[in-house]
Amino acid sequence: MDKKISLGKKELFAVILLAVINLFLFADQNLMAPNLTQIAHEFGFNDIERDVKLGGNISFVFWVLGAVITLGIGWLTDRFSRKKLFIATVLVGSIPCFMTGFARNYTELFWMRALTGIGIGGIMPLTFSLIGDFFTHKNRAIASAVVAFSQGMGVAIGQLIAGFVGPEYGWRLPFIIVALPNLVMIFLFWLAVREPARGITEDSLKELIESGHAYTGKINWSVYKELFKIKTNIIVFIQGVPGCIPWGVFFIFLNDYFAQDKGFSVESATVIVMVAGACCILGGFAGGIIGNWFYNKSSKYMPLFAGLAAIAGTIPTAFLLNYPSQAGVSNPTLVPPLIFAALAGFTNSLTGVNVNVLALNVNTPETRGSLFSLYNLVDALGKGFGPVVISLFISVLGRNVAFNIANFFWVICGLIILIAVRTFPRDEAALNETLKKRAELMMKE
């Protein structure tokens, strides 16, 4: 293992700083949810306007419009300085987050949330493009796990801040609290982090780049179209659609489902969801470590592990969703649903971080930003439209049947990923051949 490139102190510091910045940026995601009614009352909205304008319209512009615009950021990631673009994108996310705390009307709130969504979406291709050049293929899963862990922690911390600070001091203060750290962190990033040369962690390129040769790969429309010819890329894109649908059950419906349909108190239902969320964070981190270990045994084991984990997660989820109603029970026990929630949250989050690495390891250094902006778009569409799909199932079949159908989408997701057991080693080998040819051209220049 190349310690100079893979495990250098400067690279580790940079990735930790990336993780911390991602944490505070992702902490913004759920800041509105705990105080939605408070915001509605301040702006004079009734309950329907609250759900449509604050819950629907802003959620849509935050996720979908933000993801569409970040396609451009992905393209820029592969053409210009990622360090400068990273700083600009974080500021686009953090300054509007801060200014949300001073929004005077709905229009200002709407556009501040839209800009923040662009920042959060844009940070994805930049982060993973940098990880691709900070770490070799042998360690990218661990680095990705650190970032995934920080993003999950950010969402959880933001929710807690909004839930505890908002009711006492107003809904505006959480946005200011969450935004301020990154205004300091991004200054530290500017001073302390040096952007890695593209391709420097690739086996066939690193010695040439370290000796002074410049990597000549550039993104253009012809190269961009080639992304859709890589079979593993297509698998990564397609699996994201069914993979996002069940998460709508966890983060939108599960709390109310256990409170209204299963006979638990709102407090108990909240604990169940919090345990599931906490174990999602742990599962994402563990998934990277386990996937990294499997990858270093054989590259085909990583998609095998990711696909089987997606399928396996449906088992504890099914037990959780179908736990008998406790309505009428004087002292309903929380132990079984908590165990099922923990297992479901942990197992279902093992997959995502490894899918990120599948994408990193089959694409050239100059296309990774564009690739992850496309992947982020698919993910955002899933987050935006997944709850709509579930709602349609609920309206026809009822909650229990609808949620079980949603759970089955993880089986579909896992089966799609398992196809990569064959495509991933081939695509990775093809990438290595491409980089070797580029290394030969670089030597002649």
Side-chain angles (χ1 to χ4, degrees), residues 324-346:
S325 174
Q326 301 299 294
V329 178
S330 57
N331 292 304
T333 176
L334 270 176
V335 174
L338 285 177
I339 293 174
F340 296 143
L343 291 174
F346 184 86

Side-chain angles (χ1 to χ4, degrees), residues 80-221:
F80 299 103
S81 166
R82 289 167 292 179
K83 179 178 177 179
K84 294 178 181 178
L85 193 57
F86 184 86
I87 292 170
T89 302
V90 172
L91 291 176
V92 167
S94 299
I95 294 175
C97 176
F98 179 83
M99 294 305 297
T100 299
F102 302 93
R104 295 168 295 181
N105 51 56
Y106 174 73
T107 300
E108 291 184 1
L109 177 67
F110 181 90
W111 288 112
M112 290 303 103
R113 301 309 293 150
L115 288 171
T116 304
I118 293 170
I120 292 177
I123 210 71
M124 292 293 287
L126 285 159
T127 296
F128 284 101
S129 177
L130 288 168
I131 285 176
D133 287 324
F134 275 130
F135 286 85
T136 71
H137 60 93
K138 295 181 179 180
N139 294 293
R140 285 173 188 154
I142 294 177
S144 297
V146 172
V147 172
F149 178 81
S150 69
Q151 290 172 347
M153 284 295 296
V155 174
I157 290 171
Q159 185 106 12
L160 286 173
I161 291 173
F164 284 94
V165 174
E168 184 71 20
Y169 298 100
W171 65 269
R172 299 172 180 274
L173 185 58
F175 289 94
I176 298 171
I177 293 173
V178 164
L180 285 175
N182 265 353
L183 298 178
V184 177
M185 289 294 171
I186 203 61
F187 182 70
L188 180 61
F189 183 87
W190 174 54
L191 291 176
V193 174
R194 184 171 63 181
E195 180 175 348
R198 294 186 197 270
I200 197 169
T201 55
E202 306 298 336
D203 291 340
S204 57
L205 300 176
K206 59 186 179 184
E207 290 185 3
L208 285 169
I209 293 174
E210 288 178 340
S211 66
H213 290 80
Y215 179 66
T216 56
K218 299 291 183 183
I219 187 70
N220 55 47
W221 180 241

Side-chain angles (χ1 to χ4, degrees), residues 35 144 149 156 175 179 188 211 226 228 233 241 275-276 290 336 394 410 418 427:
N35 303 300
S144 297
F149 178 81
F175 289 94
L188 180 61
S211 66
E226 292 295 317
F228 299 95
N233 284 348
V241 177
V275 167
I290 298 169
I394 292 173
W410 269 326
L418 288 176
D427 290 337

Side-chain angles (χ1 to χ4, degrees), residues 30-41:
N30 287 347
L31 288 182
M32 285 182 62
N35 303 300
L36 212 59
T37 299
Q38 183 187 151
I39 299 172
H41 287 167

Side-chain angles (χ1 to χ4, degrees), residues 51 75 85 107 116 136 163 167 211 219 242 250 256 264 288 386 413 428 430:
D51 293 340
W75 177 271
L85 193 57
T107 300
T116 304
T136 71
S211 66
I219 187 70
F250 269 79
D256 191 70
F264 288 89
C413 172
E428 193 174 38

Side-chain angles (χ1 to χ4, degrees), residues 22 43 108 159 192 204 208 213 234 243 369 424 432-433 437:
N22 269 268
F43 290 149
E108 291 184 1
Q159 185 106 12
S204 57
L208 285 169
H213 290 80
I234 301 303
F424 178 59
N432 291 335
E433 285 300 314
K437 291 177 181 179

